[in-house]
Amino acid sequence: MIGMFDKDGDGTVSFEEFCHLWKYITDWLNCFKSFDRDNSGTIDKTELKTAFASFGFRLSDAFYDLVVRKFDRNNSNSITFDDYIQICVCLQSLTVAFRSHDKEMTGIITISYEEFLMMIVQTMFHPV
C-alpha cells in the first residue's frame, strides 16, 4: 500500500501522502463494516460477493471460494479487515493492469506468457 501512495517515488510516505493513505484505509474500514452484516468483524463469502457486486464485479462462486480460501488466515471461512484491504488492493491493481491491455473493454485480452508474468510482477510488487 505504501507504493500506492508514494506519489513522488522516493520509497517513503510523506505526511501528506500518509494523510491520503489514512483516508483510504478509513474509507475501506467503513465499507468493510457496511458489508459485515452480522457484525462479526469478518466478512464471509456471501458478504464479500455482495461487496464486490456493489463495486461492479460479477464474478463466479468459484472465484469467491478461491479468494476466501487463499486469504482466510484464521481458517474461519471468512476474512478479516486487513485481508479485505489486501484483496481490494490486489483486485484493483490487477484490474488496472488488465484494462491497460483491454483497450476495447471487452473483458478479454490476448497476451504472451511473458507479458502475463510482467503484468503480475509489476502489479504485485508495485501496485497502482
Side-chain angles (χ1 to χ4, degrees), residues 14-59:
S14 69
F15 180 74
E16 184 178 332
E17 291 167 336
F18 176 78
C19 289
H20 291 287
L21 172 60
W22 185 257
K23 182 183 180 323
Y24 182 83
I25 291 171
T26 302
D27 289 347
W28 279 114
L29 178 59
N30 292 331
C31 182
F32 178 86
K33 286 180 178 180
S34 74
F35 291 108
D36 179 14
R37 302 272 187 231
D38 60 1
N39 294 314
S40 65
T42 62
I43 289 183
D44 64 21
K45 173 185 159 182
T46 302
E47 293 166 328
L48 183 64
K49 190 173 182 177
T50 301
F52 283 3
S54 76
F55 304 150
F57 292 98
R58 305 289 180 257
L59 303 164

Side-chain angles (χ1 to χ4, degrees), residues 42-78:
T42 62
I43 289 183
D44 64 21
K45 173 185 159 182
T46 302
E47 293 166 328
L48 183 64
K49 190 173 182 177
T50 301
F52 283 3
S54 76
F55 304 150
F57 292 98
R58 305 289 180 257
L59 303 164
S60 69
D61 281 340
F63 171 82
Y64 292 104
D65 289 337
L66 176 63
V67 167
V68 170
R69 192 170 60 250
K70 290 292 184 179
F71 286 88
D72 176 15
R73 291 185 255 165
N74 300 325
N75 295 321
S76 62
N77 246 358
S78 61

Side-chain angles (χ1 to χ4, degrees), residues 55-124:
F55 304 150
F57 292 98
R58 305 289 180 257
L59 303 164
S60 69
D61 281 340
F63 171 82
Y64 292 104
D65 289 337
L66 176 63
V67 167
V68 170
R69 192 170 60 250
K70 290 292 184 179
F71 286 88
D72 176 15
R73 291 185 255 165
N74 300 325
N75 295 321
S76 62
N77 246 358
S78 61
I79 55 172
T80 61
F81 174 62
D82 55 331
D83 296 326
Y84 175 76
I85 286 183
Q86 187 177 359
I87 294 165
C88 289
V89 167
C90 182
L91 186 60
Q92 178 185 8
S93 298
L94 288 169
T95 299
V96 168
F98 184 92
R99 285 185 179 158
S100 73
H101 293 278
D102 186 15
K103 304 291 186 210
E104 290 143 24
M105 300 296 289
T106 62
I108 298 171
I109 61 173
T110 302
I111 58 176
S112 70
Y113 181 63
E114 184 172 348
E115 288 172 313
F116 167 75
L117 290 176
M118 289 176 68
M119 183 173 67
I120 297 299
V121 170
Q122 287 173 337
T123 302
M124 298 291 88

